Amino acid sequence: MTRTIVESKTKTAIIGFDQPFCVIGERINPTGRKKLAAELEAGDFSTVEKDALAQVAAGATVLDVNAGVVYNSNPNPNETEPPLMTRMIELVQGLVDVPLCIDSSVPGALEAGLEAAEGRPLLNSVTGEEDRLELVLPLVKKYNVPVVAISNDDTGISEDPDVRFAVAKKIVERAADFGIPAHDIVVDPLVMPIGAMATAGLQVFTLVRRLREELGVNTTCGASNISFGLPNRHGINNAFLPMAMGAGMTSAIMNPVALPVPPSRIAEKRAEVAAAGVVLPDGMDDETFVTLFGMGSTKSRAGKEMEAIRAANFLTNNDPHGGEWIRTNKAPAKAGEEGRGRGGRAGGRRRRA
């Protein structure tokens, strides 16, 4: 049974067909986040700290760390990204104990992250492009780490799933030439947006089955790609993830956190409610308000995608006896009832004398 071992200094995550689905938290990434990019260039890591803690609290098994900021002061990432990656890796592993995924297109940043990381991180990523294979696979071998293999090559990303499978096979074979075993290759078959390609979901499910059965490798994906550009993206993601798991996918790079409702949205909703003539109790706090109107929460918490994953783990017997499902869905004890059993009596059922 294929198992990919990823480790921090104190904790091990196993990606495997007989293991709970591995959630790789994607939030520590400045791509498309102008505020975070500006903070990192200014040496402000407060958002990185918050994102690290929130993702682990929400159930992330591994944290992806991406330092891909293009500095306004120096647009050369080969110079700026390696030291930033080192700083971010050291910061994150000082806050949380989960294993890390070192994510960069800059080889120097990958090696800087490998040198700074404790344990056995996952490297993200290698592609089927010849120059990328020659740069990244020696690092994988040197540091004895697993690697994400993305199914595109020098011709780009093919819409033909057979071509993407062939690229994945090529990477696995080239890795073997370096003495890297298939169980240390986690293939990303590339998820296309369902809004642009109606067969995108079916393609992924078929590819994942082939990768498992023919190459014996674990798989991952950028989970939110499937819903790109569509309304109610969470609804699509919630359906996609369990279906992908059923096809054999063993991990995903995704956001495990449901972000808090912003104050501006709460103010807008309060105005709508008042305009509709609805009278609310005096002093209703924001958390009670957003809960009442089904808006979410004012606090970061596990997203609906995590609920879908935990349910799928339970249904596929990768959550023995439903322990994780019960733990994360059990109502918190009321004040003063901690340690009480049935009926609220301390110690549970009374024995007869």
Side-chain angles (χ1 to χ4, degrees), residues 170-243:
K170 169 187 171 181
I171 297 172
V172 171
E173 290 173 347
R174 290 290 295 278
D177 292 340
F178 283 85
I180 300 164
H183 65 249
D184 275 341
I185 310 293
V186 181
V187 173
D188 181 348
L190 292 171
V191 175
M192 304 295 190
I194 192 75
M197 181 187 294
T199 59
L202 292 173
Q203 281 192 9
V204 171
F205 305 146
T206 300
L207 267 169
V208 167
R209 291 189 188 98
R210 287 192 69 190
L211 290 164
R212 172 175 176 164
E213 294 168 4
E214 296 181 36
L215 299 184
V217 293
N218 282 306
T219 47
T220 194
C221 71
S224 63
N225 289 353
I226 193 70
S227 61
F228 181 79
L230 293 173
N232 189 13
R233 297 185 66 183
H234 294 294
I236 295 173
N237 297 344
N238 292 349
F240 170 74
L241 283 162
M243 293 175 76

Side-chain angles (χ1 to χ4, degrees), residues 12-324:
T12 298
I14 304 175
I15 305 174
F17 307 138
D18 61 343
Q19 298 293 312
F21 194 72
C22 179
V23 175
I24 304 171
E26 70 179 7
R27 291 286 295 168
I28 305 174
N29 186 339
T31 305
R33 300 178 68 187
K34 292 182 179 179
K35 182 176 179 290
L36 176 57
E39 288 177 358
L40 292 175
E41 184 171 2
D44 178 358
F45 294 88
S46 57
T47 297
V48 172
E49 294 173 355
K50 292 175 185 176
D51 284 344
L53 294 169
Q55 289 182 106
V56 172
T61 318
V62 175
L63 289 188
D64 188 86
V65 179
N66 184 304
V69 180
V70 178
Y71 285 1
N72 292 318
S73 57
N74 183 354
N76 184 353
N78 292 307
E79 294 179 359
T80 60
E81 198 169 327
L84 179 60
M85 178 66 82
T86 298
R87 178 82 182 275
M88 291 174 71
I89 292 289
E90 291 175 346
L91 173 68
V92 172
Q93 67 188 6
L95 286 171
V96 297
D97 61 355
V98 299
L100 302 182
C101 176
I102 301 167
D103 184 358
S104 180
S105 60
V106 177
L110 291 177
E111 184 151 28
L114 287 167
E115 290 177 349
E118 299 172 331
R120 191 174 196 250
L122 177 63
L123 201 65
N124 188 8
S125 59
V126 68
T127 68
E129 298 166 290
E130 285 300 322
D131 60 346
R132 190 74 178 171
L133 288 166
E134 294 299 323
L135 286 169
V136 177
L137 291 181
L139 289 177
V140 174
K141 178 62 177 179
K142 176 182 177 181
Y143 289 91
N144 185 29
V145 294
V147 64
V148 174
I150 302 178
S151 298
N152 69 278
D153 59 13
D154 299 277
T155 64
I157 300 173
S158 175
E159 293 187 358
D160 185 339
D162 289 334
V163 172
R164 300 208 299 278
F165 177 84
V167 173
K169 184 177 181 181
K170 169 187 171 181
I171 297 172
V172 171
E173 290 173 347
R174 290 290 295 278
D177 292 340
F178 283 85
I180 300 164
H183 65 249
D184 275 341
I185 310 293
V186 181
V187 173
D188 181 348
L190 292 171
V191 175
M192 304 295 190
I194 192 75
M197 181 187 294
T199 59
L202 292 173
Q203 281 192 9
V204 171
F205 305 146
T206 300
L207 267 169
V208 167
R209 291 189 188 98
R210 287 192 69 190
L211 290 164
R212 172 175 176 164
E213 294 168 4
E214 296 181 36
L215 299 184
V217 293
N218 282 306
T219 47
T220 194
C221 71
S224 63
N225 289 353
I226 193 70
S227 61
F228 181 79
L230 293 173
N232 189 13
R233 297 185 66 183
H234 294 294
I236 295 173
N237 297 344
N238 292 349
F240 170 74
L241 283 162
M243 293 175 76
M245 292 167 67
M249 187 170 283
T250 48
S251 69
I253 301 171
M254 55 177 281
N255 179 14
V257 180
L259 299 179
V261 183
S264 60
R265 178 68 187 110
I266 297 172
E268 290 173 5
K269 187 65 176 180
R270 283 187 180 273
E272 291 174 12
V273 169
V278 177
V279 179
L280 299 174
D282 291 338
M284 178 180 283
D285 62 79
D286 284 349
E287 181 64 19
T288 302
F289 178 82
V290 298
T291 302
L292 178 64
F293 288 94
M295 298 173 67
S297 175
T298 60
K299 307 168 186 175
S300 293
R301 68 202 192 289
K304 287 294 184 180
E305 287 89 342
M306 290 301 301
E307 186 174 281
I309 287 169
R310 286 174 173 140
N313 280 333
F314 192 3
L315 292 167
T316 56
N317 198 32
N318 284 325
D319 177 12
H321 309 294
E324 181 67 10

